[in-house]
Amino acid sequence: MDSFVTPGSMEAISSVYLTSAGKRDGDTETDTSREMKTHFRVCRFIMETGVKLGMRSVPVATACVLYHRFFQCVSVSLYEPYLVAMSCIYLAGKVEEQHLRTRDIINVCHRYFHHSSDPLSCDSEFWDLRDSVVQCELLVLRQLNFHVSFQHPHKYLLHYLLSVKSLVNRHAWSRTPVAETSWALLRDCYHGTMCVRHAPQHIAIATLYLALHSYGVELPVGQREWWQVLCEDVTKEHIDAIISDLLHLYDMEAKWT
Amino acid sequence: MDRMRKIKRQLSLTLRRGNSGDKISETISPQDTTHSHSDSETMSVRGGGSTGSLRGSVRAGGGGGSFSMHSLLQSYGSALRRPRSLGRSLSSYLNHTTRLEIVHEDVKMGSDGESDQASATSSEGVHSPVRVRLRNNPGRKISTEDINKRLSLPADIRLPDGYLEKFCLNSPLFDKPLSRRLRRVSLSEIGFGKLETYVKLDKLGEGTYATVYKGRSKLTDNLVALKEIRLEHEEGAPCTAIREVSLLKDLKHANIVTLHDIIHTQKSLTLVFEYLDKDLKQYLDDCGNCIHMHNVKLFLFQLLRGLNYCHCRKVLHRDLKPQNLLINDRGELKLADFGLARAKSIPTKTYSNEVVTLWYRPPDILLGCTDYSTQIDMWGVGCIFYEMSTGRPLFPGSTVEEELHFIFKLLGTPNESTWPGITSNEEFISYNYPRYRADCLQNHTPRLDNEGVELLSKLLQFEGRKRISAEEAMKCPYFHTLGHRVTTLPDTTSIFALQDIQLEKEPGNRTSSLSDSVNSISRQHSLLF
């Protein structure tokens, strides 16, 4: 699954934003950046597993938010992040009415770690693992205080895209994959904690903003900026903060590969 | 075989020892900079270490299953850092449960702090009671109102004797500022979130996942309904329970049942609800299926009021029926059982269409429509309105076909002019219903006045988009006799707070319902799944 987009034009923008926001991690690897990387990998795992399980975008997003919220409350050194991630996937399925079976989750995750091995047989240790997932789901529920329904940016982005599309020259729109890019950027947002730190509307605006800028698509200028028209309470600072967070993620990924 | 067992035991010992010994190296080991894919591969080789040969021998002895299991366990732990098997994370989980039981997470639904979610869930640090006690301020005088305000307890709560004295001595509660975490600790000290706080009385009913007991809170002496959800079930916490709790936490309204407390134990999850004497079904039975028409109006208004509150928050109930409407002796009606409800924003076609109990299910849903919205609940309101007015269910079908037959017999078989698009609905065509003419609703509801019939017909519309909304329904002429003040009450105020709103005595009451203990056995089915 190649979800991570890095269009060429992104790098130029990336450098602008990163310098304007100030480089946040120095050369020494701090605990926070190490944690960020762990969460990045585990979220990648959630998304890949989600695709293999046939989960829709919103349940996958819910799983990531559950995961991030959980580790906002507890230290990552206390719990096995991949187990928590499996439970978050399971719980997200329940919350978003796309029920998944533990057996499927375990099989898919097993394959993720062991590409060529056979599925686990139904022995007592399989049951133990299943119990762990179920128990850990309870732990997540408890830690999050049963606050497990979230508003996601997806539906807002969809509406914004429809509105913006009507403002843009039809040919320009068909030439540039703004919709696909903003959607991919939105999905990538879930690799970091911005999905729990920013309002869903703001994230939707920011990903659309970045996608439009990446392709140099210009919108008609009126009395107010287009994003002010779409979402009343968003400011340029919000957009910049989200974009900077997102580019920071891309930057981090680019550095370690 | 004996040898096998020995080896296995040795193996598990090694693993366990290895894990505990690894703690330090694990925390200081730097992150790999490779991708998770390659990570897991390298680690499953690397992670073997000293136990590798042992595992090999287990496998040779025929334990193939356990081998693959071990490597899975290993890789779960080791994909990123040093081996840290599931066993450890599980045991740390177990430690945490016991720890978490001391500091109970949530406590009272009526709290003010839903806005600060981050702090609400930040229970990583568990404050020992000792430290908490240091913060208190013994000189301060505390009143019951203070406590109620702090804990958002119901205003009529009665705290047991000696309770205030205890708190004057050792409570951090009234020493500002009070963080959410501290508040949780202190609530736990009082007894919230603990099973010991509640005394189980009679069993009220039993369902697949849950058993409901009548209970009493030692803390307040109030009656409560304890919904005990079994967790041994292999699928973990039932999704109905998860949805119910996550939604009910955000719903605070006089016409919605209050969730007081949640208790976690190893084997069960207990939801503590306020106790109401009976549901609408029993109320109907108790008064000989003939509710005073004034009371019908009061109940319907309260139902709409609760529902409007839900719909404004994009929450659909999806399972309205008399068994889910609880009524206390004051005549307050409250919506219960949000197991099928969900938070919902814009309509998408993803919901399963098997959601509403057949008798109260609207025809568009019966015919396979999955694109529904708040209007899904309004049909059920119409059916319940009819049932209250006449004493019998409106469309008691036992199959989808029969249910639709009942509906069309009364309201007329739909055609293109009464329901545009219906003639191309394949399910509708396949049933091939006779062409009934619409009956006059008034003939079926002799006790209902014209305004009532008008409202009923607006609720019983085939098409969802034509059905009246809860908000509009509350404004219709039928309710004008209640006065306009009922529409301006704050959310959490009961309509009976108004002087001129009073429940009429039911003429047909067979028993004095309150002292009737026989009936209570079958009560509160609504709380079951």
Side-chain angles (χ1 to χ4, degrees):
Chain A
M1 183 181 111
D2 254 332
S3 73
F4 232 64
V5 287
T6 39
S9 55
M10 202 74 83
E11 275 163 36
I13 304 172
S14 155
S15 59
V16 174
Y17 273 98
L18 283 176
T19 42
S20 71
K23 293 226 171 192
R24 278 185 301 179
D25 68 328
D27 297 320
T28 53
E29 213 175 40
T30 57
D31 277 354
T32 33
S33 82
R34 192 160 52 229
E35 267 178 32
M36 256 177 95
K37 283 181 186 171
T38 308
H39 295 323
F40 185 97
R41 283 200 197 86
V42 181
C43 286
R44 170 72 68 89
F45 160 77
I46 292 176
M47 287 180 208
E48 195 170 323
T49 312
V51 169
K52 286 178 183 162
L53 288 165
M55 290 168 84
R56 297 183 305 265
S57 306
V58 170
V60 172
T62 299
C64 291
V65 174
L66 288 169
Y67 174 85
H68 285 303
R69 284 212 187 275
F70 181 81
F71 281 113
Q72 272 189 332
C73 314
V74 296
S75 161
V76 72
S77 59
L78 288 174
Y79 301 100
E80 171 50 51
Y82 284 91
L83 176 66
V84 173
M86 286 169 77
S87 296
C88 288
I89 291 170
Y90 186 46
L91 181 55
K94 288 182 183 178
V95 172
E96 299 294 342
E97 294 191 40
Q98 192 186 3
H99 208 80
L100 302 162
R101 294 185 319 159
T102 38
R103 169 94 218 182
D104 294 336
I105 296 176
I106 291 172
N107 282 342
V108 168
C109 295
H110 180 68
R111 181 52 67 89
Y112 182 91
F113 292 113
H114 306 274
H115 287 287
S116 49
S117 68
D118 294 331
L120 291 169
S121 56
C122 265
D123 56 17
S124 70
E125 283 173 292
F126 174 83
W127 303 122
D128 284 349
L129 184 55
R130 202 205 51 192
D131 286 348
S132 309
V133 174
V134 169
Q135 286 287 305
C136 184
E137 176 200 52
L138 282 174
L139 176 72
V140 174
L141 273 175
R142 220 167 140 170
Q143 193 60 255
L144 299 191
N145 245 326
F146 282 87
H147 279 289
V148 291
S149 314
F150 309 109
Q151 293 267 344
H152 289 294
H154 298 71
K155 61 183 179 206
Y156 295 106
L157 181 57
L158 209 58
H159 283 290
Y160 299 158
L161 277 169
L162 287 172
S163 312
V164 165
K165 187 184 171 185
S166 63
L167 293 173
V168 178
N169 177 305
R170 194 154 46 91
H171 297 292
W173 186 263
S174 61
R175 272 199 313 273
T176 47
V178 170
E180 294 84 345
T181 309
S182 54
W183 200 260
L185 290 170
L186 174 58
R187 198 172 35 195
D188 291 346
C189 277
Y190 285 89
H191 286 81
T193 54
M194 56 254 237
C195 58
V196 296
R197 283 186 288 113
H198 298 285
Q201 293 93 327
H202 298 176
I203 293 177
I205 289 279
T207 54
L208 180 54
Y209 183 96
L210 185 54
L212 287 169
H213 274 243
S214 308
Y215 292 103
V217 178
E218 304 227 332
L219 294 182
V221 183
Q223 280 195 324
R224 291 190 291 169
E225 295 284 350
W226 61 267
W227 35 270
Q228 285 172 315
V229 179
L230 292 177
C231 174
E232 282 192 343
D233 63 336
V234 73
T235 62
K236 190 70 173 55
E237 286 72 44
H238 287 134
I239 297 176
D240 286 346
I242 294 165
I243 291 178
S244 148
D245 280 351
L246 182 57
L247 294 179
H248 188 73
L249 275 181
Y250 286 117
D251 194 50
M252 187 178 75
E253 200 232 7
K255 265 190 207 154
W256 96 60
T257 41
Chain B
M1 270 333 267
D2 234 25
R3 212 178 129 226
M4 267 299 304
R5 226 171 282 143
K6 222 179 271 174
I7 293 173
K8 272 193 173 174
R9 207 180 57 208
Q10 204 179 342
L11 163 68
S12 68
L13 281 174
T14 321
L15 279 175
R16 219 175 297 154
R17 217 177 310 128
N19 293 332
S20 53
D22 265 348
K23 265 188 191 168
I24 302 158
S25 65
E26 175 183 297
T27 46
I28 53 170
S29 77
Q31 291 295 305
D32 300 292
T33 47
T34 43
H35 265 285
S36 36
H37 280 267
S38 44
D39 256 4
S40 55
E41 270 166 8
T42 49
M43 285 315 293
S44 53
V45 180
R46 222 195 312 162
S50 62
T51 56
S53 57
L54 262 175
R55 282 199 273 115
S57 59
V58 171
R59 191 195 199 183
S66 67
F67 171 72
S68 60
M69 195 51 224
H70 274 303
S71 51
L72 177 65
L73 286 179
Q74 202 95 38
S75 67
Y76 277 137
S78 64
L80 280 174
R81 40 191 77 201
R82 293 285 304 133
R84 183 158 49 121
S85 82
L86 211 51
R88 193 180 99 72
S89 56
L90 251 193
S91 68
S92 66
Y93 161 68
L94 288 176
N95 287 341
H96 274 263
T97 12
T98 42
R99 214 182 64 180
L100 286 170
E101 256 153 26
I102 302 166
V103 180
H104 176 55
E105 319 275 357
D106 178 302
V107 174
K108 176 75 204 13
M109 299 299 102
S111 70
D112 53 323
E114 311 306 336
S115 49
D116 60 340
Q117 288 221 340
S119 71
T121 48
S122 64
S123 62
E124 76 285 5
V126 176
H127 288 238
S128 82
V130 185
R131 222 169 108 205
V132 168
R133 289 210 173 91
L134 286 177
R135 288 173 56 93
N136 75 27
N137 185 353
R140 176 106 190 267
K141 194 103 174 100
I142 302 163
S143 67
T144 314
E145 290 82 75
D146 255 344
I147 292 184
N148 287 349
K149 210 171 131 200
R150 275 294 174 133
L151 307 181
S152 342
L153 297 173
D156 56 351
I157 200 165
R158 283 184 296 123
L159 294 164
D161 297 339
Y163 177 76
L164 288 180
E165 285 76 16
K166 188 182 141 214
F167 270 87
C168 288
L169 292 175
N170 62 2
S171 163
L173 265 180
F174 304 95
D175 181 20
K176 284 185 181 180
L178 182 78
S179 72
R180 281 277 293 197
R181 192 163 63 204
L182 270 176
R183 195 175 93 171
R184 235 183 286 162
V185 175
S186 40
L187 286 173
S188 162
E189 279 185 354
I190 300 170
F192 278 101
K194 290 179 185 164
L195 208 52
E196 310 90 82
T197 309
Y198 304 95
V199 189
K200 262 188 211 172
L201 302 171
D202 325 320
K203 185 163 154 181
L204 300 173
E206 194 163 356
T208 334
Y209 289 112
T211 313
V212 179
Y213 299 91
K214 182 177 176 176
R216 178 180 289 114
S217 164
K218 286 184 197 161
L219 199 59
T220 63
D221 262 354
N222 283 350
L223 287 176
V224 291
L226 300 167
K227 182 172 181 171
E228 199 175 274
I229 297 161
R230 285 179 289 277
L231 296 177
E232 304 104 284
H233 196 267
E234 59 180 40
E235 291 302 318
C239 58
T240 45
I242 294 172
R243 278 206 295 267
E244 180 166 29
V245 177
S246 69
L247 290 175
L248 272 178
K249 282 171 75 78
D250 296 328
L251 301 176
K252 290 155 200 145
H253 192 273
N255 297 114
I256 293 170
V257 71
T258 313
L259 178 58
H260 280 305
D261 197 359
I262 307 169
I263 300 157
H264 309 256
T265 59
Q266 288 284 340
K267 284 190 178 151
S268 69
L269 182 67
T270 305
L271 309 182
V272 183
F273 290 97
E274 64 179 314
Y275 181 83
L276 285 93
D277 308 290
K278 52 178 96 174
D279 64 43
L280 180 59
K281 184 97 195 72
Q282 289 146 7
Y283 191 95
L284 267 163
D285 289 346
D286 290 351
C287 63
N289 286 325
C290 188
I291 306 182
H292 193 290
M293 281 317 279
H294 177 70
N295 295 348
V296 169
K297 189 175 287 188
L298 290 178
F299 290 153
L300 183 67
F301 186 81
Q302 293 182 83
L303 167 58
L304 289 168
R305 201 171 159 237
L307 213 50
N308 181 40
Y309 177 86
C310 294
H311 288 175
C312 285
R313 275 149 198 79
K314 312 287 181 209
V315 171
L316 311 183
H317 189 284
R318 294 201 296 186
D319 193 24
L320 282 181
K321 51 186 173 182
Q323 293 88 333
N324 282 344
L325 305 176
L326 305 182
I327 297 174
N328 66 13
D329 52 334
R330 279 181 82 190
E332 287 168 344
L333 177 143
K334 306 201 182 203
L335 294 173
D337 200 346
F338 283 73
L340 281 177
R342 66 166 279 147
K344 166 170 189 322
S345 316
I346 46 175
T348 52
K349 302 192 178 205
T350 52
Y351 309 129
S352 54
N353 58 358
E354 300 273 297
V355 283
V356 184
T357 316
L358 223 45
W359 292 6
Y360 307 92
R361 192 180 292 189
D364 47 339
I365 305 296
L366 289 167
L367 287 170
C369 165
T370 54
D371 182 15
Y372 54 79
S373 178
T374 52
Q375 309 307 341
I376 191 179
D377 289 330
M378 300 316 292
W379 178 273
V381 174
C383 298
I384 290 165
F385 187 21
Y386 178 94
E387 196 163 335
M388 288 194 292
S389 319
T390 63
R392 54 195 151 77
L394 180 51
F395 304 122
S398 50
T399 61
V400 172
E401 185 175 5
E402 192 189 18
E403 183 67 25
L404 283 166
H405 204 139
F406 275 121
I407 295 173
F408 296 152
K409 219 166 167 178
L410 178 70
L411 301 174
T413 310
N415 52 43
E416 274 305 311
S417 64
T418 56
W419 187 347
I422 188 66
T423 46
S424 50
N425 182 307
E426 282 178 22
E427 280 176 70
F428 177 72
I429 297 166
S430 70
Y431 288 126
N432 196 19
Y433 289 109
R435 290 201 186 127
Y436 294 109
R437 290 243 306 266
D439 242 353
C440 185
L441 269 179
Q442 198 130 34
N443 299 341
H444 293 263
T445 53
R447 295 206 302 150
L448 208 56
D449 58 26
N450 287 336
E451 284 149 351
V453 174
E454 194 193 327
L455 174 58
L456 182 60
S457 70
K458 282 180 181 167
L459 289 163
L460 297 178
Q461 290 292 318
F462 288 133
E463 286 178 276
R465 61 188 178 88
K466 286 192 185 157
R467 259 168 246 150
I468 192 171
S469 71
E471 190 185 6
E472 291 168 59
M474 284 160 72
K475 292 178 193 150
C476 80
Y478 177 66
F479 295 113
H480 285 178
T481 53
L482 296 179
H484 74 279
R485 286 207 293 162
V486 286
T487 56
T488 56
L489 289 170
D491 285 341
T492 49
T493 307
S494 158
I495 60 166
F496 293 100
L498 297 172
Q499 289 292 310
D500 44 343
I501 301 289
Q502 257 164 11
L503 196 70
E504 294 285 335
K505 210 170 150 52
E506 294 294 349
N509 240 348
R510 290 179 310 192
T511 52
S512 66
S513 56
L514 283 182
S515 58
D516 180 11
S517 60
V518 184
N519 269 349
S520 73
I521 302 296
S522 61
R523 266 172 205 172
Q524 303 224 345
H525 277 289
S526 55
L527 286 170
L528 298 170
F529 293 128

